[in-house]
Amino acid sequence: MKFRSMLAALAVLVLGAAQAQEPIRIGSFLAVTGGAAFLGDPEQKTLELYVERLNAAGGVLGRKLQLIVYDSAGDAEKARTFAKRLIEQDKVDVIVGGSTTGETMAMVPLVEAAGVPFISLAGAVVIVEPVKKWVFKTPHSDRQACERIFVDMKARGATKVALISGAGGFDKSMRAQCLQVAKNHGIEIVADEAYGTGDTDMTAQLTKIKNTPGVQAVLNVGFGQSPAIVTKNHKQLGISQPLYQSHGVASKAFIKLAGDAAEGVRLPAAALLVAETLPDSDPQKKVVLGYKREYEARFKSEISTFGGHAWDGLMLAVEAIRKAGSTDKAKVRDALESIRGFVGIDGVFNMSATDHVGLDISGLRMLEIRKGDWTLVK
Amino acid sequence: MSGRTASLATLAGIVLLLPLALQNNYYYEVAIQVGLNAIVCVGLNLLIGYAGQISLGHAGFFGLGAYGSAILTARYGWPPLAALASATAGVAVLAYLIGRPILRLRGHYLAMATLGMGIIISIVIATEDRLTGGPDGMPVPALAAFGAALSGERVWYWVVGATLLAAVWLALNLVDSPHGRALRALHGSEVGAEVTGIDSARHKVKVFVISAVYAALAGSLTAHYAGFVTPAKVTFFHSIELVTMVVFGGMASTFGAVVGAAVLTVLPQALTVFKEYEMVVFGAVMMLTMIFMPRGLVPTLALTLSGRRLPR
């Protein structure tokens, strides 16, 4: 520990000599390795890329940005320790991070006690409901994804819906939300089937759904490989009712895995996936396309919506610091809460004292898979 | 025995003086985690190091302690101390019931049985989301006793420090008791031990229960300290992590278990300076230690310092 503190002291000395003014410290902990690495990896790349760009453009308030990222591997316990490190040791001005809901929820008590503005990149609605003073988040909550799906189902005249879901944290949280908001949208859940993580065949559950009278649409709430299997089984069983997936599968990998069976599947997703085909009048087009091009040019890999959450998190933090005119934590928090009409990757943010996400469901586009690619449903 | 008292006094001295080097709450946080891991390892070391029985399911007991406390306090409104005591007692009973049949197994079979038990516990905790909050975890109320809630790293440091000292003291006493000698005889040769009149089943089950209680107690404390539990600490990987700490520090050495827990808890924090090479360096440190110090850190250093050659 002595060695570490000497190192830290040395680092402070070097930094102090290099620039007279203290940098603005942005702390982050992400699931860069482990099972949730597909979330943390694009998030980290995005943060690094844009901190670099912001610094090249002269920084914020005339001060450079300094990014401190720790790898939590998706482990809530580790995330909590790193959060403490960011707050106590690195003395960060704002925290942007937390790839998963578990990590985020484990550190909520810490940031609330310490009073540090925190923008989470995780999905579940429990993060911002009830509203916590210092906690914000950028992705649409799972409840909004349910609502977007139900709105589309209604538009197609389907009101009796069969639900099938997995056993992961994402699946369970979203399933609960869908069950809760169904009534408000005049949707009746007529079947509620579940499968385990790692199951390789969902024919049994889907057969049950097929035999349930009156089903007009099928909704799969899942993550990873399972949704691709559900999609294949759905086609194999010849179920004629349309299949909906969650925003959790919004990646090209899903289309590859599901193959032909993916044809006609609908899902809500951020505008990022259909950046090129957005109409020019779309307010998000410029931001989304810019991010997509810069990211793909730099990392030579396909964009993912998860990196977009990190872009929003970082830019909201920067916007709040600019608005507050300082890095005073209370002022930055107030500024965050008062952000209106901020065009991001996930949508247009309108924060308020009662809404710490600030997105409405219009930011979630309804996509249909046609000929192996995303198509915007008009 | 004076050696025992002296080493216990050294540990007490370290616990007492360490806060002088702890500059902020983050350092306290790491110290508390070292303490909590050390408590589990001291118990696990009794089973692995002294009795020679492997367990790959101790994260399960840790998790049952943690979730037992969490569920009883958060869902049923029990007072935290009562929840902690009942969770620990519940785990003791469970360990006894499981231990009776599976400790008849030896070597790989015992490892597999404990592995299976740990995985079952982990799956149950992740799926029973109405009680446990599922994979996203659940919040836990603070530990409160006699009308005052324990909060803040500094207070917790002393609670964990005192618990660790008590745990080490009990373990040292146990090792020097007839029960401890019976365990070492078992480790040497189970047949030989039985020939000299040692009831091997009884002794094995007893030490299994004791080590499970250590893990459950640490689990309960962790849950209340962190204020949040997730199934990440109940997984098979955490079981392996615990066994690694014991082996790394030195088997059949209570202080080895403490040192192993300390090194392997602090190391990942210190290695973050290597960024993406963190895991590579971590692996290299582990490999080199095991190649050059196969008996573990503490026993090898102790032998080197006393100038003796390695026996056997």
Side-chain angles (χ1 to χ4, degrees), chain A residues 69-371:
Chain A
V69 186
Y70 296 117
D71 176 14
S72 66
D75 179 339
E77 192 80 10
K78 276 190 192 158
R80 210 175 46 82
T81 309
F82 282 133
K84 212 167 265 191
R85 188 169 180 172
L86 289 170
I87 296 168
E88 299 279 343
Q89 176 89 353
D90 304 321
K91 305 216 179 298
V92 295
D93 297 303
V94 55
I95 299 177
V96 177
S99 308
T100 63
T101 301
E103 284 169 276
T104 300
M105 291 308 287
M107 64 163 291
V108 162
L110 288 181
V111 290
E112 286 290 297
V116 180
F118 168 43
I119 304 173
S120 166
L121 312 180
V125 74
V126 289
I127 298 169
V128 287
E129 252 174 55
V131 171
K132 295 155 191 81
K133 190 176 175 199
W134 297 90
V135 183
F136 298 81
K137 84 185 190 79
T138 59
H140 282 93
S141 12
D142 36 16
R143 178 182 302 165
Q144 292 175 311
C146 293
E147 290 178 327
R148 185 69 190 86
I149 293 169
F150 290 153
V151 166
D152 190 68
M153 285 176 172
K154 271 220 98 177
R156 291 168 103 184
T159 52
K160 291 192 167 179
V161 176
L163 192 64
I164 174 166
S165 59
F170 172 88
D171 319 42
K172 289 198 161 183
S173 169
M174 184 160 168
R175 173 184 163 270
Q177 294 303 327
C178 285
L179 290 175
Q180 209 184 324
V181 296
K183 247 189 216 123
N184 307 345
H185 289 265
I187 297 281
E188 192 190 341
I189 305 288
V190 290
D192 181 12
E193 294 294 319
Y195 53 83
T197 321
D199 283 5
T200 52
D201 187 85
M202 286 69 161
T203 319
Q205 291 91 332
L206 285 167
T207 308
K208 239 174 143 183
I209 286 175
K210 194 182 176 184
N211 295 335
T212 308
V215 174
Q216 290 168 313
V218 183
L219 168 58
N220 176 210
V221 172
F223 220 39
Q225 304 215 348
S226 315
I229 300 170
V230 170
T231 307
K232 281 185 173 171
N233 291 162
H234 176 265
K235 185 172 186 194
Q236 283 157 2
L237 289 174
I239 300 177
S240 55
Q241 293 87 345
L243 177 64
Y244 283 77
Q245 293 285 357
S246 72
H247 53 315
V249 304
S251 77
K252 274 281 163 67
F254 168 72
I255 301 185
K256 259 177 225 159
L257 278 173
D260 289 347
E263 196 67 22
V265 169
R266 284 193 178 190
L267 66 150
L272 190 57
L273 290 182
V274 284
E276 276 94 355
T277 57
L278 286 176
D280 286 333
S281 60
D282 197 302
Q284 275 188 276
K285 180 155 187 171
K286 203 173 136 240
V287 175
V288 169
L289 208 56
Y291 169 61
K292 184 181 158 89
R293 290 199 176 130
E294 278 167 10
Y295 184 95
E296 292 186 342
R298 167 71 175 272
F299 297 109
K300 309 271 178 282
S301 62
E302 208 158 312
I303 200 105
S304 101
T305 52
F306 312 115
H309 304 330
W311 191 95
D312 285 346
L314 178 66
M315 294 307 172
L316 281 171
V318 166
E319 174 75 9
I321 290 171
R322 280 204 182 114
K323 249 182 118 171
S326 79
T327 50
D328 181 84
K329 295 190 178 71
K331 282 187 189 154
V332 172
R333 190 211 81 89
D334 293 345
L336 255 178
E337 202 170 67
S338 67
I339 285 180
R340 305 267 190 283
F342 180 86
V343 182
I345 306 286
D346 284 313
V348 179
F349 289 87
N350 287 301
M351 299 281 184
S352 72
T354 50
D355 184 3
H356 278 192
V357 190
L359 294 171
D360 57 20
I361 63 174
S362 68
L364 279 172
R365 314 301 167 106
M366 188 48 72
L367 307 185
E368 187 173 308
I369 299 170
R370 284 186 206 144
K371 298 193 181 92

Side-chain angles (χ1 to χ4, degrees), chain B residues 86-302:
Chain B
S86 331
T88 312
V91 169
V93 172
L94 183 78
Y96 179 80
L97 294 176
I98 295 175
R100 285 306 295 198
I102 70 172
L103 285 166
R104 290 158 182 261
L105 306 171
R106 283 177 206 177
H108 302 315
Y109 300 102
L110 177 64
M112 277 165 63
T114 52
L115 172 75
M117 174 205 75
I119 290 179
I120 291 171
I121 294 174
S122 157
I123 290 178
V124 168
I125 286 178
T127 23
E128 288 304 310
D129 52 334
R130 236 163 291 162
L131 273 180
T132 64
D136 283 340
M138 67 182 284
V140 190
L143 192 63
F146 314 112
L150 279 184
S151 68
E153 288 78 3
R154 278 150 225 256
V155 181
W156 268 98
Y157 176 83
W158 296 113
V159 173
V160 173
T163 316
L164 174 64
L165 282 176
V168 170
W169 178 67
L170 285 172
L172 289 173
N173 274 337
L174 186 85
V175 169
D176 265 342
S177 70
H179 177 58
R181 284 186 286 277
L183 290 179
R184 268 171 289 171
L186 270 174
H187 193 180
S189 158
E190 209 167 313
V191 178
E194 285 192 347
V195 169
T196 54
I198 289 169
D199 181 351
S200 67
R202 192 171 68 86
H203 284 289
K204 283 203 284 190
V205 170
K206 200 167 149 192
V207 75
F208 188 69
V209 170
I210 291 172
S211 71
V213 163
Y214 270 67
L217 178 68
S220 279
L221 287 175
T222 305
H224 285 298
Y225 166 62
F228 202 86
V229 278
T230 65
K233 284 282 157 191
V234 197
T235 56
F236 165 62
F237 294 104
H238 190 228
S239 290
I240 298 289
E241 213 178 332
L242 293 169
V243 174
T244 315
M245 286 176 183
V246 171
V247 176
F248 188 86
M251 285 204 279
S253 159
T254 299
F255 292 100
V258 177
V259 171
V263 173
L264 291 189
T265 310
V266 173
L267 209 54
Q269 293 291 328
L271 291 180
T272 50
V273 290
F274 292 103
K275 301 255 172 192
E276 49 263 57
Y277 298 105
E278 181 192 331
M279 291 319 278
V280 179
V281 178
F282 185 74
V285 171
M286 299 276 292
M287 269 169 55
L288 292 175
T289 313
M290 290 332 284
I291 290 171
F292 293 105
M293 300 178 165
R295 292 166 60 90
L297 226 48
V298 169
T300 315
L301 291 178

